[in-house]
Every structure is written in C-alpha cells, then in structure tokens.
Amino acid sequence: MRTIIILLSVVVLWSCSSPTGASQVTPAPDQQLLQWAKTQPAPNSLQPFFDFIATQSADSTQQQYWQSLFLAQVLNQEKGWETYSAVVDVSTVALLDFKLGKYNPHRALYADALQHYYTTRQLRYAADFTAVDTNGNAIQLSAFGDKVIYIDTWASWCGPCMQQLPYLHALAEHYADQPDFLILTVSFDRSFEAWKRALSKQAAYPNIFPVYVEGGMDSDYGSLFSISSIPSYALLGRSREVIDMSAPKPGVDSLKLVIEGVLGKP
C-alpha cells in the first residue's frame, strides 16, 4: 500500500509540472496595451487606438479602464509610447477626456498630467527636436543632458528679437559660473548662411549655444513648441521638464528668480 501511495504522488507531481498543463501568464495592463499598439499603423492621432481599445472587451467598465490607462501612458510620456506622445493635440485630448467623463473612476491615472497639459499646452517633458549647430551638424535637445535651459527663439530680421540681445548677453554673464545652466538660441533666419552672418556680428559666450532650424514657424520645432511669433522664450528644467513655455524676456528680473528655483531642484 505504501508503494502505491508513493507512485501516485509521483504521478500527481509530474502532472502539475507538465508544460501542457502550464497556465498562460497574463501581461500587465500597460504591457498589454503596448502589445496591441504594436499591431496598429503608425499613429497620426490618438483617436484610432482609443477606439480600437473599446473593441477588445464587451465590458464597458474594462474598456474605460484600458482607455484611461492609455491616456495616462501617453500624457506621461511613458517608454514605448513616444510615437503617440508626438501626435498629442489639444482638441483630441479634450475629446477623449469628454468621452471618458468627469466622474470616470479611473481619472486619477491621468488627472495630473491632463491638468498640466491643459495649463501649458505641453506634455511634462519638451519634445526632443533636432536642429543644426554652427558647423552644420545635427544636434538634438537631449544632447544637453540635465542642464536647465532657457530657450530664445529669434531671427536676425526680427527687430524685437535684436532689441533683447543685450539683455540675453547680460543673463549669460550673470550665470557664467553656473555649469548647470545653458541658453539655447534657436534661429528662424531665412537661411543657414544668413544666420551665420548674424552670429559673426555678435559676441560669443560659453553658456550660449546657437542652433538653426530650417522652416521657422512651419518647422517641426515651431509646431512642437507652439511658436506663433518671435521672439519667443521657454524655460526647461532638468531632463527637458517643461517649466514655462511662455517664459519672461531675458531682461525681466523675475526670470532669475524662476531660474534659481529650478536650479535648486535636485
């Protein structure tokens, strides 16, 4: 009898460990969303995938949870959602917010990021645009690492832009000993050559990095940063965190207070 019991125990253990009896591991909700997203065409809007999610469950509560998680992932610029974050626009976000409803029980997933977007018309982190440096080499915003960056969008043909130049230089001098601060000047000049000629007439500063963007306001940079006129100023914290996309002009005293507050953050 003892021998039979031992044999039965072995059979039971073998059955439990058999691959044919193994259960499938359900992906985490955010990973499940990413898997679905990879099966879809490259996005030009958030709406198609938002609607696609609703087809994956007959349970309306489940649909609402998936859609809320999707909006949260995109607005928070989570890894893997870069192509969706790049096509965010105010009208679509407002529509998805309306569809999910004010009393959506999952609203906490995206509420803070949504409020930030409504207030600034920007996601939490600035888009990693590409420009060219004075040598004609492509350079991305992310190349400047964790520096606090004051962006001056200008052109040599723009009178008000040139009037602010002495104040910009004074700002550079004020922060000359601050290695974590950088002024990035983005030119909307009509050509690379015109920009280079304008720079040749200006003083150079170690903490002013000039770049050129072809296309001006019609460029990807102009669109991503919602620039409709120049001069335009923005302040970014470390890792491209959006602080103020309509920052004060360089000669305004309050700007220094904001910059120093951002520099003081860990």
Side-chain angles (χ1 to χ4, degrees):
M1 178 64 71
R2 184 176 181 182
T3 301
I4 294 173
I5 291 173
I6 292 172
L7 288 173
L8 286 173
S9 299
V10 170
V11 170
V12 169
L13 287 172
W14 178 86
S15 299
C16 291
S17 61
S18 173
T20 57
S23 60
Q24 294 291 325
V25 177
T26 303
D30 57 336
Q31 293 303 310
Q32 180 66 74
L33 281 175
L34 270 178
Q35 288 179 17
W36 288 340
K38 289 175 181 177
T39 69
Q40 303 302 302
N44 54 22
S45 170
L46 303 184
Q47 182 75 48
F49 189 63
F50 183 87
D51 293 340
F52 167 81
I53 292 171
T55 68
Q56 301 306 296
S57 174
D59 183 344
S60 60
T61 302
Q62 183 67 43
Q63 291 173 13
Q64 192 176 46
Y65 170 69
W66 287 116
Q67 290 172 326
S68 299
L69 184 58
F70 166 59
L71 188 57
Q73 296 287 298
V74 172
L75 292 180
N76 284 307
Q77 297 166 281
E78 298 291 350
K79 186 176 180 180
W81 293 100
E82 293 84 357
T83 56
Y84 284 86
S85 296
V87 298
V88 167
D89 68 272
V90 174
S91 59
T92 302
V93 168
L95 177 62
L96 302 191
D97 182 26
F98 175 77
K99 285 188 171 185
L100 287 169
K102 183 177 180 180
Y103 300 105
N104 171 15
H106 311 296
R107 190 177 178 83
L109 289 172
Y110 57 84
D112 288 347
L114 183 69
Q115 185 58 48
H116 180 276
Y117 183 68
Y118 281 157
T119 302
T120 67
R121 292 296 189 268
Q122 294 287 328
L123 298 179
R124 290 189 180 276
Y125 300 94
D128 192 16
F129 70 90
T130 301
V132 294
D133 63 17
T134 53
N135 295 316
N137 298 320
I139 186 167
Q140 291 184 298
L141 181 60
S142 56
F144 302 106
D146 283 343
K147 291 184 181 294
V148 173
I149 303 175
Y150 181 66
I151 302 179
D152 169 17
T153 306
W154 71 292
S156 61
W157 49 260
C158 166
C161 299
M162 301 306 290
Q163 289 172 6
Q164 292 298 315
L165 194 57
Y167 301 106
L168 190 75
H169 290 169
L171 187 68
E173 291 173 357
H174 182 80
Y175 288 104
D177 297 327
Q178 177 50 263
D180 290 339
F181 178 74
L182 177 76
I183 296 172
L184 184 68
T185 60
V186 182
S187 171
F188 276 6
D189 269 295
R190 294 186 174 90
S191 69
F192 180 83
E193 292 72 23
W195 170 58
K196 289 292 293 289
R197 285 195 298 271
L199 286 181
S200 69
K201 301 174 185 177
Q202 299 176 14
Y205 292 83
N207 58 352
I208 295 182
F209 195 98
V211 297
Y212 172 73
V213 171
E214 186 174 3
M217 293 178 198
D218 295 326
S219 64
D220 287 344
Y221 165 73
S223 175
L224 290 168
F225 279 66
S226 303
I227 296 174
S228 57
S229 64
I230 56 175
S232 177
Y233 304 97
L235 182 63
L236 306 181
R238 304 179 196 280
S239 301
R240 310 196 312 273
E241 180 187 8
V242 172
I243 304 299
D244 190 348
M245 297 305 287
S246 297
K249 295 176 181 179
V252 176
D253 289 338
S254 62
L255 174 63
K256 294 187 182 72
L257 294 176
V258 179
I259 291 173
E260 285 156 17
V262 179
L263 285 168
K265 288 183 178 181

